Amino acid sequence: MDLEIQGRIKELAEKYGPENVVVILGSNEAEAASLAAETVTNGDPTYAGPLAGVPLGLRVYHILEEEIKKEIDPNVYEEQVGMMEMVLDVEAISKEVRSIREQYSKY
Amino acid sequence: MNPVIKGCSHILVHVPNVMLEAGTTQILERENKNSDYLLKINDYIRSYEDCISYPPNQAYIGNIYPDKLNDIPRPWYQNPLPPKRFGAFGEIMPEDEFYALMQISDVFDLVLLEEDFVKEVRRKLEGHPLISEKDLSRLKEVVSLEEIERQIENKAVPLRFNGKIVGCVKKAHDKDITLSSHVMLENLATKASAILAFKHLLKNTGMSPEEIDYIIECSEEACGDMNQRGGGNFAKAIGEIVGCSNATGADVRGFCAGPAHALLNAASLIKSGVFKNVVVVAGGATAKLGMNGRDHVKKGLPVLEDVLGGFAVLVSQDDGINPIIRLDSVGRHTIGAGASPQVVMHAVAVEPLERLGLKVTDVDKYSVEMQNPEITEPAGAGDVPKANYKMIAALGVKRGDIEKSQIDEFILKHGMPGFAPTQGHIPSGVPVLGHIREKILKGEIKRAMIIGKGSLFLARMTNLFDGISMIIEANPGVKEEKGVEEKEIRKMIAKALRDLAEYLIGSEV
């Protein structure tokens, strides 16, 4: 995950409290989604950014996961995400992110 | 007057030592004193022979059509092709000759090369078909290794070859960081590789440099000084060395979408009749060398991002032969459009077709971000061109142009495997121009779309994305405009007078 983004997420979690922050990912690959999810829960696994060794334990979802999809107006979802839903491996991405969430999310 | 693509060139330069010295990933990694990556990287660097026999590189310079990569088993680096330096569109230059080309390109005596090295590389360049006597006269055989080492102590960037220091690039100012030795190396590498692309373009088109009216430069870096970081102007600096004495020009930037914007500008200048021959040119980006090297080394691959890329395109007035750039329906991602991938792709790929009453299947080949997947997949970024083709196909499904079950077939037929180095601007739409022009001229395809996309948010000035596209089509042939002859005009006037006379006579009754 981009080092600048890591810094911004850390700041937001400190400002609003980690229990009040939900991270929604948009990565197009299961591996990249998993890395990003791990970064905002267990800390940066590459030990390169501000979240290295900082297990924020945030709630993290991918935009393609069912839990998020049902929260969004179906017309807006279709207009903004419908194409990517058809293109990406929804099952693999959801499985990876869910697995990380279940292991490391504290909220 | 339709603008046409009169010719293209595509070149690569193998620069493993510049990669180690100036690639951003390697520079950042140096901050980590115990870097495992830097300890191992030397074992993963490719030889020049391995680089030129690499199938995607052979596709880039035009020795194989990119679709042929589908028939070559992965990993491609383990399935080399015959190592050909030159191809239909350009060449893959070795690093020692490139150092000399950097010195030829340098007008401020910033590139110092050791005298014995110059003697040797001069001999090699004498055999180069595009390096002239005048170019060779710009090489300087006067600098000792001691002088180079003294300059390196004074913050010059070393230039290494075969494990030895053979030269350096000096800083151009004591205090101005935009003229530091690192930036000067970046800019001179950009300039020299663009010059190489320009020279190949002139050879490929048979044009003389004096015939060029205008140059639009669209590389990654911007040159300038501390009072204007992106002041420019690479275009004229490149044209000066190439000998375009009748041209002027300017630089266009837009992250990876820069070349597509530049091509649109060039086509518009031709269509409006302002100029007759406009060259769009770009050199390579040293910063991006070895960008994903950490992942490559971790996964046991050679560091594949060891080349600079360059290209040049000549856009000219309609000759009735060469493929035309259609300006009546340009795809554009507007500021108010939103930034989701779906919105961007619809604006860029589908809307221009809808305006012309065309379907997504009416475009024979799409050129998207043509990054080589062998470079991006180990870094977790997936197969970028394939993802783009899937998006276009998915939009085709939503429009009812194709069935969902036809997505894979669409990708195979209307796409092509990624083959371009991850140099930012180089993979973005333009690397297929040479191939597409040839296919259209041979009548094998009729219509293509060039799509450029750019991640504008990286500059932290906006969260916006960018995208722009153009349709390239077979030339329908110039229609001769029928002139009205004098005799015809006399007849028309006589008829009008007769009609008037009859009307007047009639009205008197």
Side-chain angles (χ1 to χ4, degrees):
Chain A
M1 182 184 271
D2 187 292
L3 308 190
E4 193 68 27
I5 305 272
Q6 286 192 35
R8 284 177 70 184
I9 290 174
K10 190 165 175 255
E11 267 177 41
L12 288 170
E14 282 163 4
K15 190 172 173 188
Y16 297 104
E19 69 281 11
N20 296 317
V21 176
V22 178
V23 180
I24 311 282
L25 303 173
S27 331
N28 63 358
E29 289 280 322
E31 192 185 338
S34 170
L35 271 175
E38 190 175 342
T39 305
V40 299
T41 51
N42 195 38
D44 180 2
T46 66
Y47 286 93
L51 290 179
V54 183
L56 288 179
L58 302 179
R59 275 176 289 179
V60 60
Y61 294 88
H62 195 281
I63 187 73
L64 293 175
E65 284 188 88
E66 201 51 43
E67 291 92 327
I68 300 299
K69 186 178 176 181
K70 70 180 184 202
E71 295 291 326
I72 298 171
D73 178 328
N75 292 329
V76 173
Y77 197 86
E78 181 59 26
E79 194 186 311
Q80 298 286 326
V81 191
M83 177 193 74
M84 293 312 286
E85 198 180 18
M86 207 185 302
V87 165
L88 299 181
D89 189 343
V90 179
E91 202 178 314
I93 290 173
S94 302
K95 193 176 154 201
E96 285 291 330
V97 176
R98 192 180 313 118
S99 153
I100 296 287
R101 189 169 59 241
E102 284 168 3
Q103 282 181 72
Y104 303 119
S105 277
K106 296 177 193 163
Y107 306 98
Chain B
M1 183 67 73
N2 280 319
V4 301
I5 297 178
K6 204 164 178 180
C8 307
S9 72
H10 300 278
I11 63 102
L12 298 173
V13 187
H14 181 239
V15 283
N17 289 289
V18 176
M19 174 183 79
L20 290 173
E21 196 61 49
T24 307
T25 299
Q26 289 68 250
I27 289 174
L28 292 176
E29 198 68 20
R30 273 185 231 144
E31 289 172 16
N32 175 5
K33 297 291 171 208
N34 304 314
S35 165
D36 196 38
Y37 170 55
L38 290 185
L39 278 176
K40 288 180 178 167
I41 189 170
N42 281 313
D43 298 334
Y44 293 86
I45 286 175
R46 286 192 295 190
S47 67
Y48 175 65
E49 284 66 31
D50 287 347
C51 172
I52 61 173
S53 59
Y54 186 48
N57 291 351
Q58 285 293 312
Y60 187 83
I61 61 167
N63 281 331
I64 59 165
Y65 186 56
D67 282 18
K68 292 271 179 208
L69 290 170
N70 285 327
D71 306 328
I72 301 174
R74 298 268 301 268
W76 289 321
Y77 63 85
Q78 286 179 353
N79 290 284
L81 292 173
K84 292 182 189 165
R85 171 174 174 167
F86 292 93
F89 308 136
E91 68 172 292
I92 306 171
M93 183 174 253
E95 196 165 32
D96 54 346
E97 292 180 40
F98 185 65
Y99 288 162
L101 186 58
M102 277 171 60
Q103 188 172 72
I104 289 168
S105 312
D106 167 28
V107 293
F108 274 85
D109 296 335
L110 299 170
V111 180
L112 304 185
L113 296 174
E114 195 268 326
E115 53 187 322
D116 289 338
F117 174 80
V118 176
K119 279 189 186 121
E120 204 167 308
V121 82
R122 178 192 292 276
R123 269 199 300 278
K124 288 179 76 177
L125 280 180
E126 279 168 354
H128 193 288
L130 302 177
I131 302 293
S132 65
E133 276 299 313
K134 193 179 168 195
D135 292 329
L136 291 171
S137 72
R138 299 176 61 84
L139 285 173
K140 302 166 195 82
E141 293 172 21
V142 290
V143 180
S144 65
L145 190 58
E146 290 73 37
E147 167 64 8
I148 289 166
E149 283 170 348
R150 200 179 62 77
Q151 290 292 343
I152 292 170
E153 279 172 28
N154 194 27
K155 294 192 176 167
V157 179
L159 298 175
R160 292 185 170 86
F161 190 71
N162 283 344
K164 288 190 298 189
I165 289 176
V166 296
C168 66
V169 176
K170 295 193 296 179
K171 59 186 177 184
H173 193 280
D174 267 346
K175 300 224 163 56
D176 185 346
I177 55 165
T178 57
L179 297 171
S180 67
S181 53
H182 172 78
V183 174
M184 295 320 295
L185 168 63
E186 279 184 341
N187 290 349
L188 285 163
T190 296
K191 182 181 175 187
S193 47
I195 286 167
L196 185 63
F198 210 128
K199 282 174 174 283
H200 276 279
L201 176 73
L202 294 175
K203 184 196 99 187
N204 295 348
T205 54
M207 297 281 281
S208 75
E210 292 83 7
E211 289 177 277
I212 307 302
D213 304 309
Y214 198 74
I215 302 164
I216 304 178
E217 204 272 355
C218 56
S219 301
E220 290 279 279
E221 315 300 349
C223 59
D225 72 353
M226 61 182 163
N227 293 312
Q228 197 182 354
R229 284 193 307 276
N233 170 320
F234 273 115
K236 292 184 86 166
I238 292 160
E240 178 189 20
I241 302 295
V242 177
C244 301
S245 51
N246 296 318
T248 183
D251 302 346
V252 165
R253 296 290 179 271
F255 274 102
C256 304
H261 282 284
L263 195 60
L264 176 64
N265 284 345
S268 305
L269 287 170
I270 297 295
K271 177 96 179 170
S272 63
V274 175
F275 296 118
K276 288 180 179 164
N277 293 301
V278 179
V279 168
V280 173
V281 64
T286 59
K288 289 194 166 65
L289 294 166
M291 192 164 53
N292 296 293
R294 266 194 299 251
D295 292 299
H296 294 162
V297 168
K298 203 187 292 172
K299 293 182 179 167
L301 279 78
V303 184
L304 297 167
E305 292 160 305
D306 55 1
V307 289
L308 296 171
F311 78 96
V313 188
L314 174 61
V315 185
S316 295
Q317 290 180 320
D318 200 347
D319 55 4
I321 300 164
N322 279 294
I324 59 170
I325 301 172
R326 286 191 68 160
L327 292 177
D328 52 347
S329 190
V330 170
R332 59 194 182 277
H333 173 252
T334 54
I335 290 169
S340 75
Q342 183 163 337
V343 167
V344 175
M345 202 46 117
H346 191 268
V348 174
V350 176
E351 282 175 18
L353 297 176
E354 283 176 344
R355 282 195 292 270
L356 297 173
L358 297 171
K359 295 188 284 191
V360 295
T361 46
D362 289 328
V363 172
D364 299 307
K365 283 286 180 191
Y366 291 88
S367 177
V368 290
E369 292 159 291
M370 301 308 297
Q371 282 100 334
N372 173 358
E374 204 151 275
I375 294 174
T376 54
E377 281 173 347
D383 185 332
V384 179
K386 197 170 181 183
N388 275 280
Y389 291 130
K390 271 188 188 171
M391 288 188 232
I392 297 171
L395 289 172
V397 172
K398 284 168 79 72
R399 274 178 45 83
D401 292 347
I402 58 170
E403 298 293 326
K404 197 174 174 187
S405 59
Q406 294 174 301
I407 288 182
D408 287 344
E409 186 191 323
F410 177 91
I411 293 169
L412 202 61
K413 191 174 171 197
H414 299 271
M416 51 176 72
F419 60 97
T422 48
Q423 283 265 289
H425 59 317
I426 294 297
S428 192
V430 289
V432 305
L433 279 173
H435 289 291
I436 276 177
R437 178 176 170 273
E438 280 200 347
K439 287 273 171 192
I440 291 178
L441 284 173
K442 285 180 189 165
E444 292 174 16
I445 63 170
K446 193 180 157 209
R447 185 180 291 122
M449 184 184 278
I450 305 293
I451 300 173
K453 293 203 285 185
S455 305
L456 305 187
F457 46 84
L458 293 171
R460 311 296 200 257
M461 286 291 110
T462 172
N463 277 313
L464 286 175
F465 199 75
D466 189 30
I468 191 127
S469 72
M470 275 150 289
I471 295 168
I472 314 277
E473 271 184 8
N475 198 314
V478 177
K479 286 181 192 138
E480 280 184 30
E481 283 177 24
K482 275 193 178 169
V484 184
E485 288 183 14
E486 196 182 332
K487 208 169 152 187
E488 289 276 312
I489 295 172
R490 282 191 184 161
K491 272 188 191 168
M492 285 158 75
I493 293 172
K495 183 176 181 296
L497 287 174
R498 265 199 310 274
D499 291 348
L500 179 66
E502 279 169 17
Y503 169 77
L504 291 174
I505 291 164
S507 59
E508 275 174 8
V509 177

